[in-house]
Amino acid sequence: MRTAHQLTFTTYETSLKLKPNDPIKIIFDNIDWSFIHPLVSGRYSPQGAEGYDPITLFKAQLLIYLGEVSSDRKLSSALRYNGRLCLLCGFNFLKTPSNGTFTNFRDRLGEGIFYEILHQLIAQAIALKVILGGDTAIDSTHIWAYSHRFGKETCSCQGKCDCPRSYSDGDAQWGAKSKDYLFFGYKVHLIVDAKSQLPLEVKVTPANEGDSPQAKPLLKGAKEKHPENPIDTSSMDSAYDSHENYRFAIEEAKVAPIIALNPRGRVDAIASSSLYLSQDGSYTCFAGFKVVYWGQEEKRGRLKFRCPAALNKCECLFRPTCSASSYGRTFYLHPKRDYRLIGPIPRGTGLWQEKYNARTSVERAYSEEKGSHRLANPKVRGLAKVKIHVYLALCAQVIKRIGASIMEKPPDFIPCHAR
């Protein structure tokens, strides 16, 4: 494989005209791409004609997901006639790839290499403090398959029938976003850093697979791939409300799960019916008043709550019969007895709600990826190729955020790969 080339006169002339504040130039110049060569070396043969540098091909692929062009065919044409894009990627102006070269490039590397490249770029974002760690959020989004949703008839029946149909994308499946919205395609499952809204781990599945089973591999992948990035909490919606997700997060991942209760799994009585769980997830006494969180007793491993009437938070007719003490009745919950209902951060507290509000970060991340990085528009078929499409969209999001961070730094700032 080729790793360098000499600039032609035309390319050199274009380099003189290239503006130093060109956004693509800033992004490409401040990323350390050297890790790509060791990753792909096993996919190239030392024999035969010399091919294109895989770094230049990968940069060119990112131009689609950065909004410069819309397809491989238009990318090939742009590299042939647009000196700026040709120079930014690192091609010789007299020899640029055809659109088929990009298809062969993706097939040669495979989904595994693109997955590793994504995590290498995420690691650079962490090193540059673009991703700071702490709070995270998990959710999924849907993408329609690049296929006719109702398939092609394989029978000669007249009118409607139940005969099997043929689909151009054999891996895509029907899934439900809600009771009223069905789609044919795939799901993208993400865990994102809440502050930067950048991905830490991703899984792509057919649309018929559930969300809840993906929480464990997402948390595990984020912790194993980026151990230098601390994860304190992970917020999720009620689709992830299962005991196994709580157990894994607390016991194995050492992360505080912030998960909304699913009404189908809600129970009323807690701790021998002395406390109740309201519909909004708050703890109440039998009279229906919200009890006051009074801290955690670490030695005994329990959370303490006090009577709201004793703290003048409400007026309760049952106060004299409930407790004769002026301190009021106290309630204790033991988190390890039921992770789902209690957890390290008590439900109903301001802190729990603050952490749960971070869940919107993953929704904003999906909005950016679909709006600016073509996540919702796969032009390929099959799970493996759709995964590559998703990884490239996320790579574009990460490097664009790195570029924006570099532009905000003082003039004397030096990127990590140049130190």
Side-chain angles (χ1 to χ4, degrees):
M1 64 182 176
R2 179 179 298 176
T3 58
H5 63 78
Q6 185 176 357
L7 293 179
T8 64
F9 177 77
T10 305
T11 310
Y12 175 72
E13 186 179 17
T14 303
S15 68
L16 298 178
K17 298 179 180 179
L18 191 64
K19 296 180 181 180
N21 62 344
D22 186 297
I24 304 297
K25 173 179 171 56
I26 292 174
I27 291 173
F28 284 176
D29 287 352
N30 288 282
I31 299 294
D32 180 8
W33 303 102
S34 62
F35 65 88
I36 291 181
H37 286 147
L39 279 177
V40 305
S41 60
R43 305 300 174 96
Y44 286 84
S45 172
Q47 301 176 349
E50 188 177 25
Y52 294 98
D53 186 341
I55 292 179
T56 61
L57 290 174
F58 184 75
K59 288 180 179 179
Q61 287 286 268
L62 289 176
L63 293 179
I64 297 176
Y65 298 89
L66 289 170
E68 293 290 331
V69 292
S70 58
S71 66
D72 284 343
R73 191 173 297 277
K74 292 183 178 180
L75 173 59
S76 177
S77 178
L79 292 173
R80 186 177 301 115
Y81 300 111
N82 188 323
R84 168 180 166 265
L85 296 182
C86 180
L87 177 64
L88 288 172
C89 293
F91 290 108
N92 187 322
F93 195 70
L94 299 177
K95 185 180 180 181
T96 57
S98 66
N99 60 292
T101 302
F102 297 114
T103 302
N104 294 336
F105 174 68
R106 293 192 297 268
D107 292 342
R108 180 191 295 270
L109 267 60
E111 60 179 276
I113 297 296
F114 283 96
Y115 176 77
E116 293 300 326
I117 291 175
L118 168 62
H119 278 289
Q120 289 283 348
L121 294 175
I122 293 173
Q124 292 191 37
I126 294 173
L128 291 169
K129 304 299 182 183
V130 178
I131 297 177
L132 297 175
D135 299 330
T136 64
I138 292 177
D139 203 357
S140 70
T141 191
H142 73 286
I143 53 176
W144 283 87
Y146 188 52
S147 170
H148 193 284
R149 64 191 67 175
F150 299 114
K152 182 180 179 181
E153 294 181 355
T154 58
C155 62
S156 57
C157 300
Q158 299 295 327
K160 294 183 178 180
C161 65
D162 297 327
C163 296
R165 290 175 171 265
S166 173
Y167 293 90
S168 57
D169 189 339
D171 294 334
Q173 297 290 336
W174 281 99
K177 183 175 175 63
S178 65
K179 292 181 179 179
D180 304 319
Y181 188 93
L182 303 179
F183 66 97
F184 181 72
Y186 300 90
K187 281 184 179 180
V188 179
H189 309 265
L190 277 183
I191 176 171
V192 304
D193 175 68
K195 296 183 180 67
S196 65
Q197 300 167 31
L198 291 180
L200 297 173
E201 177 63 299
V202 57
K203 299 295 178 184
V204 184
T205 65
N208 61 343
E209 295 196 15
D211 292 350
S212 184
Q214 304 304 322
K216 289 173 60 177
L218 286 173
L219 277 171
K220 183 179 180 180
K223 298 283 285 188
E224 291 180 351
K225 286 288 185 180
H226 308 288
E228 73 281 10
N229 181 63
I231 299 179
D232 300 326
T233 67
S234 189
S235 57
M236 316 170 212
D237 62 26
S238 59
Y240 299 87
D241 180 24
S242 72
H243 177 77
E244 180 58 22
N245 285 339
Y246 290 94
R247 187 206 63 77
F248 178 83
I250 296 172
E251 295 183 1
E252 299 187 35
K254 310 302 181 184
V255 172
I258 310 295
I259 308 176
L261 286 176
N262 192 320
R264 290 174 296 178
R266 179 171 57 86
V267 296
D268 293 329
I270 305 176
S272 302
S273 300
S274 60
L275 281 183
Y276 295 82
L277 192 64
S278 64
Q279 292 186 0
D280 65 358
S282 301
Y283 300 115
T284 64
C285 63
F286 73 92
F289 295 107
K290 182 178 176 181
V291 294
V292 179
Y293 176 58
W294 210 251
Q296 181 176 1
E297 296 182 359
E298 295 185 2
K299 292 184 178 180
R300 297 188 178 183
R302 64 185 187 181
L303 308 176
K304 181 179 180 180
F305 296 83
R306 288 186 60 188
C307 170
L311 297 170
N312 298 319
K313 301 288 186 180
C314 64
E315 293 184 3
C316 179
L317 297 176
F318 299 98
R319 170 70 194 284
T321 57
C322 184
S323 174
S325 170
S326 59
Y327 189 79
R329 187 173 179 180
T330 56
F331 307 87
Y332 296 99
L333 296 179
H334 298 76
K336 292 185 178 180
R337 293 182 183 175
D338 194 336
Y339 291 143
R340 177 177 175 269
L341 298 180
I342 305 172
I345 300 179
R347 292 182 183 275
T349 62
L351 179 61
W352 189 95
Q353 189 61 47
E354 176 187 342
K355 299 298 183 182
Y356 184 74
N357 291 342
R359 193 185 65 83
T360 58
S361 60
V362 69
E363 297 173 354
R364 293 192 294 271
Y366 281 131
S367 177
E368 178 185 352
E369 290 150 10
K370 288 185 173 182
S372 302
H373 303 301
R374 307 184 64 82
L375 178 67
N377 301 298
K379 300 298 182 182
V380 291
R381 299 182 178 95
L383 180 59
K385 293 182 178 181
V386 170
K387 285 183 178 181
I388 294 176
H389 164 77
V390 172
Y391 299 155
L392 284 169
L394 298 182
C395 285
Q397 182 190 25
V398 172
I399 65 172
K400 187 178 77 171
R401 198 65 57 79
I402 290 176
S405 175
I406 295 295
M407 294 179 69
E408 296 173 356
K409 300 291 184 181
D412 59 344
F413 174 79
I414 302 176
C416 59
H417 71 277
R419 292 173 183 169

